[in-house]
Amino acid sequence: MADIQPFHVMELLRRARELEAAGRDIIHMEVGEPDFPTPQPIVEAASRFIANGAVHYTPGLGLPALREAIARFYHDRFGADVAPERIIITSGASGALMLALAATTNPGDEWLLPDPGYPSNRHLVRSFEGKAIAIDVGARQHYQPTPAQVEAHWSARTRGLMVATPANPTGTLLSGEALTHLHHSTSTQGGLLLVDEIYQGLTYGVESSTALAIPELGNAEDVFVVNSFSKYFGMTGWRLGWLVAPQAYVREIEKLAQHYFISPSTPAQQAALSAFKPGTIDILEARRHEFARRRDTLLPCLRELGFEIGSEPQGAFYIYANIATLAEDSEQFARKLIETAGVAITPGLDFGSHRPREHVRIAYTTHCERLLQAVERIRAAL
Amino acid sequence: MADIQPFHVMELLRRARELEAAGRDIIHMEVGEPDFPTPQPIVEAASRFIANGAVHYTPGLGLPALREAIARFYHDRFGADVAPERIIITSGASGALMLALAATTNPGDEWLLPDPGYPSNRHLVRSFEGKAIAIDVGARQHYQPTPAQVEAHWSARTRGLMVATPANPTGTLLSGEALTHLHHSTSTQGGLLLVDEIYQGLTYGVESSTALAIPELGNAEDVFVVNSFSKYFGMTGWRLGWLVAPQAYVREIEKLAQHYFISPSTPAQQAALSAFKPGTIDILEARRHEFARRRDTLLPCLRELGFEIGSEPQGAFYIYANIATLAEDSEQFARKLIETAGVAITPGLDFGSHRPREHVRIAYTTHCERLLQAVERIRAAL
Ligand SMILES: Cc1ncc(COP(=O)(O)O)c(C=O)c1O
Ligand SMILES: Cc1ncc(COP(=O)(O)O)c(C=O)c1O
């Protein structure tokens, strides 16, 4: 337990809430979820389903109809052929990450993780007595690991590599070519590649994509893909995601899923059946354009203020910035912004130990006027 | 992974579904969830909440209002004073069991578990590299472990004892006195006591109770209590439960909860705020009486058919029966009942390795007429 870190930003949030309780207005740019509501067609599907109260357990791997709907989505949107049998419905991407790691990690096994990265990954690895090995990634490499780094960090105990595209906290992508090269490295070593695509669909100026559409990866026996209804689909609170596992792991993961979760949320699954409908996608695409507008508004303003953004984010809803010229320490900086500017951002510490004191994550999960207001307040505070 | 067993009953269910697809009528007495729908006041609370789509993450430990509602429920119904800060909202009792075990189990640590018992417990222990040690429990001791057994199985590596009251698959209870004695054993050894109260409220001819109302246990630093909205509250598909942890563990468990789950389902939490309202409790108490009627109907019929019920169930919705005089092997017996009688029951194998071939679990999660029809069909098949 001593190795498991809390989300450090919670401390800041506590302070933010105190200030709010005392009447201060706080602009929240630390929040890792869309401010948009769940689209109405999804809500209405849930309402219709729960109305008569028949909300029972589903099969452990999820509703067959939802697994098929996701397979169709891969086919129609990305031209990827994914057998529904390989699609495991989970309690968020969190549940998918847990199942994939639990099924593959023996005590002492190592997983390579880019640093900075989503913090829960290393704690999940640790929970199953594995070892998370950080690969330091910087702006020059778009905060994504390179095959050379993968090979340099590989050991006899390495089980695989986890990447995310678009990534949290940096919003950077891996191209199909980059993924293919990474997969070449992991598979040559006999290891696994886990691709977290939770921010799929949230890309700006770039088409969204999936590792599953890459011929070498789509049906590979050593590639796991994680996804979620949380971000693009605006369903964070429903707790629903999925895992695409190689066929040989499905029966194994089913065993774990039953014992860990019994089954994923039934109302969420029924709701998600409406997530891929054209009417829903129209709503979501409009939101994507709004996120793009926010990014395009915020980026130049932050740069002007002295935030250094070494690799422009092309996805998710985060900007990862170096604040070394503005402050000595990102945590003190974040605390100061809350106190004097009423703006909440996330210090780098939550994402790893590669130069966290120089970095912050800024989320544009609030509308443009509010973002501009934040910029003016930060300017005044600096 | 080789140590993780599937739910064996799934095999039987596959066969049942085949037969159903071919037009056969199957009476399902293997199902471990109420046939009743989620009560309307709970459904309506969910509908009202989701209507505008604002379904975001909640705090990792759950909505403060729900933690307080549960604390009030403990107070009003059982006279137990439980601080809301100790109540952790989870993704079903499954999530509560996972968090409690993850937070307390080091590799090689042992947990004592009654056999027969809920199968997922030993697989969760195994997942965190602990060792599940079975305590064989028989009808004479009401399928519950005794302090003498706890002491006999205790080793230097034992972390604690898990019990359930009412228990699955046996429906038997632990009295307050029995719990106090078990706690005396575990705490004398310096270990933990985990009490699974998921079937709380579903007792027949006995008042329902909680370990938290026992003075020695209620505020003990070594007692965890697990509960759920699944069974009494008729909310299986919503995936919501809770864990009452000793205060000193709450911060630790909060860290894990964030990484494993981010937060529990928001619609489920909002719905559950209406679970303790008098109108809801009236509905649930009527169902409890109906479950009692079913038990009282089924028990004598099964006995008359030759099922031996050594300890009468006083809770949950299961009857655990010895079928040694009817068949050589409970799995073959269950298969025969599906094929020839169209009745699905669960063979003992799913609940452990203490005489599983002699036992079956029969769930009365279907209405009385249907139960009687099942009895007639079994009679004909025998
Ligand atoms: C990269 C990444 N993976 C996984 C998750 C888990 O999200 P969820 O469980 O809501 O799908 C998050 C949440 O922020 C994330 O940023
Ligand atoms: C004894 C016991 N504990 C825990 C659970 C988990 O149930 P849930 O996660 O739906 O609360 C079950 C389910 O059948 C059970 O029988």
Side-chain angles (χ1 to χ4, degrees):
Chain A
M1 283 305 305
D3 294 341
I4 309 287
Q5 301 295 312
F7 282 104
H8 297 287
V9 73
M10 292 294 160
E11 284 286 294
L12 280 174
L13 274 180
R14 245 180 283 268
R15 181 63 188 145
R17 271 195 289 270
E18 268 171 40
L19 292 170
E20 281 171 330
R24 275 286 292 284
D25 173 58
I26 305 288
I27 305 180
H28 288 278
M29 300 174 79
E30 84 291 1
V31 179
E33 64 179 324
D35 48 326
F36 301 110
T38 303
Q40 272 303 311
I42 298 178
V43 166
E44 282 160 19
S47 281
R48 270 195 310 276
F49 173 74
I50 64 178
N52 74 357
V55 185
H56 299 287
Y57 293 131
T58 72
L61 296 180
L63 289 173
L66 183 57
R67 300 168 72 192
E68 279 154 26
I70 293 171
R72 263 196 312 278
F73 173 69
Y74 277 119
H75 181 269
D76 297 349
R77 179 132 172 189
F78 302 108
D81 279 316
V82 183
E85 294 72 33
R86 292 178 51 202
I87 299 170
I88 295 159
I89 311 297
T90 58
S91 173
S94 304
L97 290 163
M98 175 176 283
L99 288 172
L101 290 171
T104 58
T105 309
N106 278 323
D109 281 0
E110 297 172 0
W111 277 92
L112 307 183
L113 277 63
D115 181 345
Y118 181 59
S120 300
N121 292 337
R122 62 179 192 277
H123 300 303
L124 283 168
V125 170
R126 179 66 187 84
S127 282
F128 297 112
E129 303 298 334
K131 259 175 97 170
I133 306 291
I135 296 183
D136 291 351
V137 292
R140 219 139 6 128
Q141 59 193 92
H142 306 296
Y143 302 111
Q144 295 284 3
T146 64
Q149 285 182 309
V150 170
E151 278 147 39
H153 286 82
W154 206 276
S155 85
R157 294 308 309 265
T158 307
R159 197 71 185 91
L161 166 72
M162 293 173 82
V163 293
T165 175
N168 176 5
T170 60
T172 59
L173 313 186
L174 279 164
S175 67
E177 202 189 358
L179 272 170
T180 308
H181 288 145
L182 287 171
H183 178 244
H184 183 77
S185 297
T186 56
S187 81
T188 305
Q189 304 276 4
L192 304 172
L193 176 64
L194 188 154
V195 187
D196 181 342
E197 299 185 344
I198 183 173
Y199 295 100
Q200 185 185 66
L202 294 173
T203 54
Y204 317 116
V206 191
E207 277 300 299
S208 85
S209 61
T210 173
L212 296 164
I214 302 171
E216 293 87 339
L217 276 70
N219 280 299
E221 282 164 28
D222 52 10
V223 174
F224 289 77
V225 172
V226 164
N227 211 322
S228 176
F229 289 98
S230 285
K231 313 286 173 161
Y232 176 68
F233 297 98
M235 291 183 69
T236 47
W238 299 84
R239 313 308 304 118
L240 202 71
W242 71 88
L243 171 66
V244 183
Q247 189 63 56
Y249 287 89
V250 174
R251 272 294 296 138
E252 298 294 294
I253 290 173
E254 181 176 20
K255 295 191 296 185
L256 292 179
Q258 289 168 340
H259 297 303
Y260 291 6
F261 305 111
I262 299 187
S263 60
S265 161
T266 309
Q269 291 186 79
Q270 291 285 348
L273 284 170
S274 290
F276 305 112
K277 302 223 161 113
T280 311
I281 297 290
D282 289 348
I283 295 168
L284 299 174
E285 285 298 292
R287 291 178 181 183
R288 179 159 77 99
H289 292 121
E290 170 60 17
F291 276 127
R293 209 165 68 88
R294 292 176 182 180
R295 184 199 62 159
D296 295 344
T297 303
L298 192 56
L299 255 178
C301 294
L302 288 176
R303 282 191 163 141
E304 199 223 324
L305 289 176
F307 289 78
E308 197 198 310
I309 295 135
S311 174
E312 276 195 16
Q314 300 184 291
F317 30 63
Y318 307 117
I319 294 172
Y320 190 67
N322 188 313
I323 49 94
T325 61
L326 300 173
E328 291 255 303
D329 177 276
S330 61
E331 222 172 345
Q332 276 163 32
F333 180 68
R335 212 167 303 130
K336 173 178 150 185
L337 284 195
I338 284 205
E339 298 290 342
T340 62
V343 174
I345 61 174
T346 310
L349 199 60
D350 267 340
F351 308 105
S353 50
H354 177 49
R355 301 170 64 193
R357 309 242 158 238
E358 293 169 42
H359 291 90
V360 297
R361 186 191 76 176
I362 298 160
Y364 40 96
T365 44
T366 185
H367 58 79
C368 275
E369 271 164 66
R370 196 83 169 132
L371 296 176
L372 290 173
Q373 192 185 359
V375 166
E376 288 321 306
R377 288 200 201 166
I378 296 173
R379 187 191 311 279
L382 294 178
Chain B
M1 283 305 306
D3 294 340
I4 309 288
Q5 301 295 313
F7 282 104
H8 298 285
V9 74
M10 292 293 160
E11 283 288 295
L12 280 175
L13 273 180
R14 247 180 282 268
R15 182 63 188 143
R17 270 194 290 269
E18 268 171 39
L19 291 170
E20 282 171 330
R24 274 284 294 283
D25 173 58
I26 306 288
I27 305 179
H28 289 278
M29 300 174 79
E30 84 291 4
V31 179
E33 63 180 325
D35 50 325
F36 299 110
T38 303
Q40 272 302 311
I42 298 178
V43 166
E44 282 161 19
S47 281
R48 270 195 310 276
F49 173 75
I50 64 178
N52 73 358
V55 185
H56 298 287
Y57 294 131
T58 72
L61 297 181
L63 289 174
L66 183 56
R67 300 167 72 192
E68 278 154 27
I70 293 171
R72 263 196 312 278
F73 173 69
Y74 277 120
H75 180 269
D76 297 350
R77 181 133 171 188
F78 302 108
D81 278 317
V82 183
E85 294 72 34
R86 292 178 52 203
I87 299 170
I88 295 160
I89 311 298
T90 57
S91 173
S94 305
L97 290 162
M98 175 177 282
L99 288 172
L101 290 170
T104 58
T105 309
N106 279 322
D109 281 359
E110 297 173 0
W111 276 92
L112 307 184
L113 277 63
D115 182 344
Y118 181 59
S120 300
N121 293 337
R122 63 180 192 275
H123 301 302
L124 283 169
V125 170
R126 180 66 186 84
S127 282
F128 298 110
E129 303 298 335
K131 260 175 96 170
I133 305 291
I135 296 182
D136 290 351
V137 292
R140 217 139 8 127
Q141 58 192 94
H142 306 295
Y143 302 110
Q144 296 283 4
T146 64
Q149 286 181 307
V150 171
E151 278 147 39
H153 285 82
W154 205 276
S155 85
R157 293 308 309 265
T158 307
R159 196 72 184 91
L161 167 71
M162 292 173 82
V163 293
T165 173
N168 177 3
T170 59
T172 59
L173 313 186
L174 279 163
S175 68
E177 201 188 0
L179 271 171
T180 307
H181 288 144
L182 287 172
H183 178 244
H184 183 76
S185 297
T186 57
S187 81
T188 304
Q189 304 276 4
L192 303 172
L193 176 64
L194 188 154
V195 187
D196 182 342
E197 299 185 345
I198 183 172
Y199 295 99
Q200 185 184 67
L202 293 172
T203 54
Y204 317 116
V206 191
E207 277 301 299
S208 86
S209 61
T210 174
L212 295 164
I214 302 171
E216 293 88 339
L217 277 69
N219 280 299
E221 282 163 27
D222 52 10
V223 174
F224 289 76
V225 172
V226 164
N227 211 320
S228 177
F229 289 97
S230 285
K231 313 287 172 160
Y232 177 69
F233 297 98
M235 291 183 69
T236 47
W238 299 84
R239 311 310 302 121
L240 202 71
W242 71 89
L243 172 66
V244 182
Q247 189 63 56
Y249 288 89
V250 174
R251 272 294 295 139
E252 299 295 294
I253 290 173
E254 181 176 21
K255 294 191 297 185
L256 292 179
Q258 290 169 340
H259 298 303
Y260 291 5
F261 305 111
I262 301 188
S263 59
S265 161
T266 309
Q269 292 186 76
Q270 291 286 348
L273 285 170
S274 290
F276 304 112
K277 300 223 163 113
T280 312
I281 297 290
D282 289 348
I283 295 169
L284 299 174
E285 284 299 292
R287 292 177 180 183
R288 179 160 78 99
H289 291 122
E290 171 60 16
F291 275 126
R293 208 164 69 88
R294 293 176 182 179
R295 184 198 63 159
D296 295 344
T297 303
L298 192 57
L299 256 177
C301 294
L302 289 175
R303 282 192 163 139
E304 197 223 326
L305 289 175
F307 290 78
E308 197 198 310
I309 295 136
S311 173
E312 277 196 14
Q314 299 184 290
F317 30 63
Y318 307 118
I319 294 171
Y320 191 67
N322 188 314
I323 49 95
T325 61
L326 300 173
E328 290 256 303
D329 177 277
S330 60
E331 221 171 347
Q332 277 164 30
F333 181 68
R335 211 168 303 132
K336 172 178 152 188
L337 284 195
I338 284 206
E339 299 290 342
T340 61
V343 173
I345 62 172
T346 310
L349 199 59
D350 267 340
F351 308 105
S353 49
H354 176 49
R355 302 168 66 191
R357 309 242 158 240
E358 293 170 42
H359 291 90
V360 296
R361 187 192 75 176
I362 297 159
Y364 41 96
T365 44
T366 185
H367 58 79
C368 275
E369 270 163 68
R370 196 82 170 133
L371 295 176
L372 289 174
Q373 192 184 0
V375 166
E376 287 322 306
R377 289 202 200 164
I378 296 172
R379 186 191 314 278
L382 293 178

